[in-house]
Amino acid sequence: MVAFVIVTGKKLCMRIVLLLLMVLPLVLHAQFTYVADQTIPVRDVGGNTLAMPWAGGLNAAQYNTMDLNGDGKDDLVLFDRMANKVITYLNINNHYRYTPTYENFFPSEITNWVLLRDFNCDGRKDLFTGDVLGMKVYTNVTPAGGNPAWQQFFFFPGGSGTKSPVVLTKGFSGMINLQLQYDDLPSISDVDGDGDLDILNVRFVGNGTVEFHQNFSKERYGTCDSLAFERITQQWGGFTECNCGSFAFNSEDCPPNGGGRTQHAGGKSLLALDVDGDQDQDLIFSESSCTRLYQLSNTGTSENAIISSSSNFPDVNPVNFLVFPAAFFEDVDFDGKKDLIASPNIYGKEFLNMNLRQSNWFYKNTGTNTTPNFTLTKTNFLQEHMIDVGDNAVPAFADYDGDGDLDLFISQNGTENYVASVYLYKNIGNREAPEFQLETTDYLGVSNVNLFNLKLQLIDINGDNTIDFVFTATSFQTGVTSLYYVSNSSTSTFNFPNPSLEATGFTVSRSENIHITDVNSDGLPDLLVGKNNGALEYWKNNGPKGSFTFVLEDESFLNLAITVLRQSPMCATGDLDADGKVDLVIGDQSGVLKIIANYREAENANGAITDLIFNDLVGAYIPQNMGGRSWPTIANIFNTNKPAIVVGNILGGVHVLRHDEGESLPEQPVVTLYPNPVEGSGILNIKLDRYGYFEIFSSLGQRISDPITLQANQLNAYRFSFLAKGVYLFRFTANNKSITRRIVVY
């Protein structure tokens, strides 16, 4: 039986208001719902199809394996330090498939490093990660047939002390934190051969020696399911690191004039494994300022290590990065034998002359797990299958060849010579089903200008109704980051017969970001500047058209003020939900995108939406780390009424977010145009629902303007002061379809 209650007067009004308040956020969120799309084919310059082009790039990856989907096969779990991001790949018929839906099941507290090790011998790998106070452990509690799940492991200090969330070890005077420097990578393995996991780490305070923390789980409890650590020695193997490739042995000190260190000067990476098959653990060692991995051979035993020599590792084609290599021992080619993978263990490229397009070196194990033999096979493992331009991939779209579909441009920080370039992927598909092929890695020969830190936007900046080649970049000579452009001489294609770099005179700090857009709808390009301190500034263009007179209008636009939680926000603007109003997308160092609906009328960013991407494993829209520092752009690459968001990131890769409620555009273009009539000196707002252009004709049919390009579904403000009073015909063309509108100018 259903009971109906009739409510009248003020109570009814209040209930309606409450209902609206509850429903409105849900309706608003439904306007911005996306799926991570990996269906668009991408070919390399030779025409070969990439296996997973939209996997998002790699830079400083740490390699682990575990069974993610419960099919009994090991999948791949990476952690990239430069993005602070877990990256997951499923093993599908002995091929890796990027599957980001598993990434959100890992603890959000992960930081600095991740090592997956089965400490309790239940056949499921547990998780060790860094912490400001040392390291944390999470037990794998994945239910049978379920998604990955973790439970934090707590340590007992003894007596009536409070449980510790970080790893404890017995020191010289009781239980203490097992402390690491923030950029250290420890080794976690069975060092003494008794069946439980021990830890080797570089001494936190002091000289370059290695501590051995023995796990007494087996000795005390007869099982391996505990983590009962004691620091046995602060100089395991009796060696001390003096400098890159220089070590003191037999517990001796470093020579005073031989570059010896008196303290833990930089981050260290350790990997313990039996390299020579003598059933004890050798050590693979490196430091943040070193280019090589060093093999420290154990000539003692598992219980009493003796290190008396060092050599480059591996002995043939040794690892050689500019700084801080780290090694990982996992089977990544499905043959049952653990391979060696090396990558730089860095947080940022900064001014390093490092080729991050080839930063994952794969050494195939042609021996056995007990007596490995490593053969260098490739230097771009996994990267070879994806779009990876190095670091700081900033995507932009335009129909550069005038064939009616959008082509993909990607700028980047710099190659191995540290000069920046722009990649061009030509759309060889069509406007509904894009397909991209790499045409050049140096469009317009940008690398010859000797700039780095290049961030691209394709927009009309000089008011001549053509799409210009606009970017910020940093000069090698001066270190100044400026806003530049190259003027396009064609309204229908990209035409740069004699490209000339023009400076606007506007400068920012090196890591800051500029988005060019008409904020106040006056027909002039303004600037949204993402500052190092987290603020978003609005710089108004005071004109006249074609000039660059920018004045700071708001130093905390949308109340996005200085904060330690956000750095150098990156913006994109466009009508995402087909409501005729411009929305704002913001990225930052977290990798999580935020959308502010109808930002021109928003008072602040408090209502920003982050639950954007559908995860089919949980059946909900959730935030997603898109790869650390993320640069979004808006492009209608699927020819629907709701455009896609394409995101570049610090890892040099690109992700595509397709709106999951977008509808195919109608056959005939739809034009929005107002006011009509329009005052001669006033603004005429124009929007086309797809990429195209328009031309202006007199009432007698005489063309009086060149074609003017329109980006899809974006409201543009124009002043046509050259038009006298009268009646004009505006002809809009898109997809070989035309529509004409009559405009009255008074």
Side-chain angles (χ1 to χ4, degrees):
M1 182 177 183
V2 180
F4 292 90
V5 178
I6 299 176
V7 183
T8 59
K10 293 183 179 180
K11 289 185 178 181
L12 176 60
C13 293
M14 288 297 295
R15 293 200 177 185
I16 291 174
V17 170
L18 290 173
L19 180 62
L20 289 174
L21 289 175
M22 290 187 292
V23 172
L24 185 59
L26 298 177
V27 173
L28 187 62
H29 177 262
Q31 298 169 349
F32 307 108
T33 54
Y34 298 87
V35 293
D37 189 287
Q38 300 187 61
T39 63
I40 303 174
V42 177
R43 301 176 184 271
D44 64 18
V45 71
N48 304 301
T49 301
L50 301 182
M52 45 183 180
W54 309 105
L58 293 174
N59 283 349
Q62 302 173 355
Y63 282 77
N64 295 276
T65 59
M66 68 173 285
D67 184 3
L68 289 169
N69 58 352
D71 65 353
K73 298 184 295 184
D74 270 347
D75 306 298
L76 197 57
V77 178
L78 309 186
F79 177 75
D80 200 297
R81 300 187 90 177
M82 285 184 65
N84 197 43
K85 173 181 170 65
V86 171
I87 306 172
T88 52
Y89 305 82
L90 286 183
N91 174 356
I92 306 296
N93 298 322
N94 287 347
H95 291 85
Y96 289 119
R97 177 187 298 171
Y98 176 56
T99 313
T101 48
Y102 286 92
E103 294 170 0
N104 289 83
F105 292 105
F106 285 79
S108 59
E109 297 82 3
I110 286 175
T111 186
N112 298 343
W113 53 270
V114 170
L115 294 174
L116 298 180
R117 303 287 188 267
D118 181 9
F119 82 81
N120 55 9
C121 304
D122 65 353
R124 298 178 297 186
K125 288 190 176 179
D126 308 296
L127 189 150
F128 294 74
T129 187
D131 185 82
V132 67
L133 297 177
M135 69 174 72
K136 291 181 178 179
V137 181
Y138 292 85
T139 305
N140 188 335
V141 293
T142 302
N147 296 316
W150 311 90
Q151 180 178 320
Q152 186 168 357
F153 187 97
F154 288 87
F155 292 79
F156 293 92
S160 58
T162 305
K163 293 181 182 178
S164 171
V166 297
V167 175
L168 298 181
T169 186
K170 185 178 179 181
F172 299 134
S173 58
M175 301 300 289
I176 59 173
N177 291 7
L178 202 164
Q179 187 69 59
L180 308 175
Q181 185 162 295
Y182 75 96
D183 55 350
D184 280 354
L185 181 65
S187 179
I188 303 175
S189 63
D190 183 6
V191 176
D192 56 6
D194 66 352
D196 53 27
L197 291 181
D198 310 300
I199 296 176
L200 293 174
N201 68 282
V202 172
R203 187 176 175 183
F204 179 64
V205 177
N207 54 14
T209 62
V210 170
E211 296 183 338
F212 171 44
H213 298 267
Q214 183 179 353
N215 186 356
F216 282 86
S217 179
K218 276 284 191 179
E219 289 83 353
R220 293 175 185 170
Y221 312 114
T223 65
C224 57
D225 61 358
S226 297
L227 295 172
F229 294 111
E230 290 189 16
R231 187 175 61 195
I232 303 302
T233 177
Q234 291 185 302
Q235 195 176 23
W236 183 82
F239 78 93
T240 301
E241 185 220 10
C242 303
N243 213 324
C244 292
S246 175
F247 300 87
F249 303 108
N250 301 315
S251 300
E252 297 177 354
D253 295 331
C254 293
N257 298 319
R261 293 192 173 90
T262 59
Q263 59 182 358
H264 184 174
K268 319 285 184 177
S269 70
L270 306 179
L271 173 65
L273 62 92
D274 186 2
V275 177
D276 49 17
D278 63 353
Q279 298 184 353
D280 57 37
Q281 297 287 286
D282 308 298
L283 191 65
I284 310 303
F285 184 103
S286 185
E287 186 192 317
S288 61
S289 60
C290 303
T291 64
R292 302 280 189 175
L293 290 173
Y294 304 105
Q295 176 180 332
L296 302 172
S297 297
N298 182 1
T299 58
T301 64
S302 295
E303 296 80 11
N304 183 26
I306 299 174
I307 304 294
S308 56
S309 66
S310 69
S311 60
N312 290 336
F313 182 76
D315 57 349
V316 178
N317 295 317
V319 172
N320 186 12
F321 291 128
L322 187 64
V323 292
F324 208 2
F328 305 90
F329 189 48
E330 298 282 358
D331 176 18
V332 295
D333 61 357
F334 317 108
D335 65 355
K337 295 181 291 186
K338 291 187 176 183
D339 310 293
L340 180 77
I341 312 95
S343 66
N345 202 39
I346 58 177
Y347 283 96
K349 182 176 179 179
E350 298 302 327
F351 289 99
L352 298 176
N353 184 19
M354 181 177 292
N355 181 5
L356 291 177
R357 291 182 292 110
Q358 297 187 26
S359 59
N360 288 253
W361 290 23
F362 167 56
Y363 291 80
K364 181 178 176 61
N365 185 355
T366 57
T368 66
N369 285 332
T370 54
T371 310
N373 183 56
F374 299 117
T375 302
L376 179 62
T377 304
K378 60 187 66 174
T379 59
N380 59 346
F381 181 67
L382 294 180
Q383 295 172 294
E384 62 185 319
H385 300 302
M386 62 183 75
I387 294 175
D388 191 331
V389 301
D391 65 324
N392 289 18
V394 181
F397 289 86
D399 183 9
Y400 92 102
D401 52 4
D403 64 353
D405 52 35
L406 293 177
D407 307 291
L408 170 62
F409 295 78
I410 308 174
S411 63
Q412 39 92 277
N413 194 3
T415 62
E416 56 270 28
N417 297 319
Y418 211 71
V419 292
S421 67
V422 175
Y423 286 55
L424 166 60
Y425 287 85
K426 176 179 171 59
N427 190 345
I428 60 175
N430 55 55
R431 55 186 174 270
E432 289 88 10
E435 180 176 350
F436 298 106
Q437 179 166 350
L438 179 61
E439 187 152 301
T440 178
T441 61
D442 192 14
Y443 184 71
L444 287 185
V446 171
S447 65
N448 296 321
V449 189
N450 289 323
L451 298 170
F452 68 100
N453 184 36
L454 196 148
K455 301 169 186 176
L456 178 66
Q457 188 176 354
L458 302 174
I459 192 171
D460 178 16
I461 192 174
N462 58 359
D464 64 355
N465 298 320
T466 66
I467 302 298
D468 303 309
F469 194 80
V470 188
F471 58 89
T472 58
T474 306
S475 166
F476 272 111
Q477 286 72 28
T478 65
V480 176
T481 303
S482 302
L483 178 62
Y484 301 95
Y485 72 98
V486 181
S487 182
N488 182 12
S489 62
S490 172
T491 57
S492 57
T493 62
F494 274 10
N495 187 12
F496 306 101
N498 297 296
S500 176
L501 192 63
E502 305 287 343
T504 65
F506 194 88
T507 62
V508 293
S509 296
R510 185 166 61 90
S511 63
E512 294 177 340
N513 297 283
I514 294 177
H515 177 65
I516 306 164
T517 187
D518 184 3
V519 175
N520 58 355
S521 302
D522 66 351
L524 299 174
D526 307 303
L527 306 180
L528 293 176
V529 181
K531 303 293 290 181
N532 287 332
N533 59 19
L536 183 64
E537 294 181 345
Y538 163 34
W539 289 74
K540 180 183 176 182
N541 188 343
N542 277 347
K545 189 174 184 178
S547 69
F548 308 105
T549 309
F550 299 110
V551 177
L552 181 59
E553 186 79 5
D554 190 342
E555 63 183 10
S556 55
F557 185 62
L558 295 175
N559 204 31
L560 293 168
I562 297 173
T563 175
V564 297
L565 302 178
R566 182 177 53 247
Q567 301 168 11
S568 304
M570 311 84 163
C571 299
T573 51
D575 183 4
L576 292 170
D577 53 358
D579 67 349
K581 300 175 182 178
V582 182
D583 309 302
L584 174 66
V585 187
I586 300 177
D588 57 30
Q589 82 287 352
S590 71
V592 176
L593 299 182
K594 304 172 182 63
I595 293 180
I596 302 170
N598 188 14
Y599 84 96
R600 286 174 175 160
E601 298 180 17
E603 295 182 359
N604 52 56
N606 293 344
I609 300 168
T610 58
D611 295 336
L612 302 173
I613 305 171
F614 187 72
N615 186 313
D616 58 3
L617 296 178
V618 297
Y621 293 90
I622 59 176
Q624 185 85 25
N625 183 346
M626 305 304 294
R629 296 188 183 276
S630 299
W631 287 267
T633 189
I634 297 170
N636 193 359
I637 54 177
F638 298 108
N639 199 45
T640 58
N641 64 335
K642 297 178 181 179
I645 301 175
V646 181
V647 188
N649 60 34
I650 196 173
L651 301 181
V654 180
H655 295 290
V656 176
L657 301 180
R658 176 174 53 84
H659 201 293
D660 59 4
E661 293 183 353
E663 300 176 357
S664 296
L665 293 173
E667 187 70 18
Q668 195 71 14
V670 176
V671 176
T672 302
L673 189 152
Y674 65 90
N676 187 16
V678 61
E679 187 178 0
S681 60
I683 292 175
L684 182 64
N685 296 286
I686 299 174
K687 185 176 76 168
L688 188 63
D689 68 341
R690 66 203 71 190
Y691 185 87
Y693 63 91
F694 72 94
E695 303 162 282
I696 304 175
F697 295 83
S698 70
S699 58
L700 299 178
Q702 180 185 7
R703 194 175 78 169
I704 56 177
S705 80
D706 291 328
I708 300 172
T709 301
L710 290 170
Q711 297 294 335
N713 226 28
Q714 295 191 18
L715 190 65
N716 301 276
Y718 294 98
R719 294 181 188 271
F720 298 105
S721 55
F722 62 89
L723 296 179
K725 297 178 181 179
V727 178
Y728 298 90
L729 302 177
F730 281 52
R731 186 173 72 187
F732 297 84
T733 302
N735 304 347
N736 297 319
K737 302 286 184 179
S738 295
I739 186 171
T740 301
R741 291 286 183 265
R742 189 181 303 271
I743 301 298
V744 176
V745 178
Y746 68 92

